[in-house]
Amino acid sequence: MFKRIALYAGLGLAFSSAAMAQTKWDLPSAYPASNFHVENLTQFVKEVDELSGGKLKITLHNNASLYKAPEIKRAVQGNQAQIGEILLTNFANEAPIYELDGLPFLATGYDASFKLYQAQKPYLEKKFESQGMMMLYAVAWPPQGIFANKDIKQISDMKGLKWRAYSPVTAKIAEIVGAQPVTVQQAELAQALATGVIDSYMSSGSTGYDTKTYEYIKKFYDTQAWLPKNAILVNKKAFDALDADTQAALKKAGAQAEERGWKVSREKNEWYKEQLKANGMEIIQPTVELKEGLSVVGKRMLDDWLKKAGPEGEAIIAAYKKQ
Ligand code: PCA
């Protein structure tokens, strides 16, 4: 009798541990806990846990604590991290498709950016697939403006600025306007400001807020030049190793995070600017001259992009303009 109970108990344990087989994934992100992308990821991780019935446990490592921004893509590709967040335009030198949403004045508001995303998406998916990954979702940062102490009325006023770049495109803008680009990722931005390595940069109110840029820079020119996207990548082998229900749970949580992320980005855009203002920053509408100067820069960069991207690039731009 006693033996039988022990046997049943043993079987029960075996069954429940098989049913509860848990997969653990690491998710590196380069942005801090206060960032809306990371808040969204925190919610995503929770929903994956719930929807998968506890079978997929994802650990979020924020603020570049596990990998630095430029390393995350390779970490996911090599399955050192099974899932990770990247800034697409950071990888512009690898393939033109990654650069597209980082180009100035191609798509400037949320609606246009979402349309650009729809045109870009199939090509992004194909590219990631060829690299052994899949894109789960992507969300736009708020529109990019210029942080500087200097009065900037036209692009020639940007000459000589010690310009923080976060991507090949932002470095290129500096070169065109005669500023000196230094590539610094967001996790090191506050330090670069504090030590005077840089005195200006182009990014969103979100990054200005996350990095307390208002302690060093007092002006934000709200140029709304482009909305770059963060994408969540999954290693394909790690995905294939999940059972069908868990795969579906992950995809569902991803779709929910994408919808929520775009909404929050849009809503928080104004809030971020209010916070900058409350902390002593002046929010400035760009002059017509500045806007025109920047759009000439944008036009030149789009022409270069079309040359690099060839017929595929033409097709993406045509699909974007048709919507
Ligand atoms: N913030 C990121 C990229 C785009 C943005 O708005 C950064 O400045 O690094």
Side-chain angles (χ1 to χ4, degrees):
M1 178 65 188
F2 190 72
K3 243 187 181 162
R4 194 180 285 173
I5 290 174
L7 185 69
Y8 282 146
L11 273 177
L13 202 74
F15 277 131
S16 67
S17 65
M20 276 307 293
Q22 231 181 43
T23 304
K24 292 191 171 149
W25 281 7
D26 285 311
L27 192 176
S29 159
Y31 305 100
S34 65
N35 182 265
F36 77 98
H37 286 294
V38 176
E39 286 173 347
N40 196 28
L41 279 173
T42 305
Q43 180 67 18
F44 161 77
V45 163
K46 209 170 136 238
E47 289 179 6
V48 169
D49 191 353
E50 284 162 12
L51 290 166
S52 71
K55 284 208 271 180
L56 180 55
K57 297 275 183 197
I58 299 177
T59 306
L60 174 61
H61 305 267
N62 67 25
N63 215 15
S65 57
L66 192 60
Y67 293 102
K68 292 193 185 309
E71 299 166 350
I72 294 177
K73 182 165 172 285
R74 210 177 319 140
V76 176
Q77 194 168 359
N79 210 12
Q80 285 91 11
Q82 295 65 45
I83 182 167
E85 183 186 43
I86 66 158
L87 173 66
L88 289 168
T89 191
N90 255 350
F91 301 91
N93 289 340
E94 219 184 276
I97 193 65
Y98 297 137
E99 179 174 355
L100 188 62
D101 53 278
L103 293 176
F105 293 102
L106 174 61
T108 56
Y110 279 93
D111 292 341
S113 286
F114 194 75
K115 282 182 186 163
L116 183 64
Y117 175 37
Q118 301 315 306
Q120 185 188 18
K121 200 173 178 176
Y123 299 89
L124 279 175
E125 283 171 343
K126 208 171 78 190
K127 185 73 198 164
F128 286 127
E129 202 185 312
S130 76
Q131 298 182 325
M133 294 180 280
M134 49 184 264
M135 184 173 74
L136 196 59
Y137 72 87
V139 168
W141 286 87
Q144 310 285 292
I146 303 170
F147 292 95
N149 281 322
K150 213 176 156 189
D151 274 336
I152 300 175
K153 295 205 163 66
Q154 52 211 4
I155 55 169
S156 57
D157 295 330
M158 292 161 78
K159 219 175 175 160
L161 288 175
K162 289 195 272 176
W163 180 266
R164 172 257 176 173
Y166 63 74
S167 63
V169 178
T170 47
K172 189 79 203 272
I173 293 174
E175 278 165 28
I176 295 175
V177 302
Q180 298 157 20
V182 188
T183 299
V184 179
Q185 292 307 319
Q186 183 173 322
E188 281 93 40
L189 178 51
Q191 203 189 347
L193 284 165
T195 53
V197 170
I198 55 133
D199 60 14
S200 56
Y201 69 97
M202 212 160 173
S203 185
S204 59
S206 164
T207 292
Y209 173 76
D210 281 343
T211 57
K212 296 192 167 68
T213 290
Y214 43 76
E215 290 181 358
Y216 307 96
I217 296 182
K218 302 297 174 193
K219 295 186 174 95
F220 179 65
Y221 296 88
D222 195 8
T223 54
Q224 306 190 12
W226 72 95
L227 290 79
K229 289 187 292 293
N230 275 3
I232 307 304
L233 305 181
V234 175
N235 178 281
K236 188 64 171 51
K237 282 205 186 103
F239 180 78
D240 289 342
L242 301 172
D243 64 44
D245 287 349
T246 309
Q247 288 179 346
L250 182 74
K251 284 196 162 175
K252 184 165 184 211
Q256 287 172 186
E258 176 163 288
E259 206 185 320
R260 188 172 56 234
W262 280 83
K263 194 165 161 269
V264 173
S265 179
R266 191 190 279 258
E267 283 167 6
K268 274 196 121 175
N269 180 28
E270 290 311 312
W271 184 87
Y272 283 128
K273 286 190 268 180
E274 279 162 24
Q275 300 310 305
L276 297 180
K277 221 167 145 179
N279 283 287
M281 201 179 264
E282 204 184 335
I283 310 294
I284 301 169
Q285 289 312 310
T287 61
V288 176
E289 290 76 15
L290 178 58
K291 268 174 123 169
E292 276 174 7
L294 286 172
S295 59
V296 170
V297 172
K299 173 88 183 43
R300 182 168 150 190
M301 294 181 81
L302 179 60
D303 287 346
D304 288 349
W305 185 84
L306 282 166
K307 272 182 218 135
K308 281 185 285 186
E312 192 174 285
E314 300 276 357
I316 299 170
I317 298 298
Y320 164 57
K321 297 221 158 125
K322 219 170 66 190
Q323 287 181 71

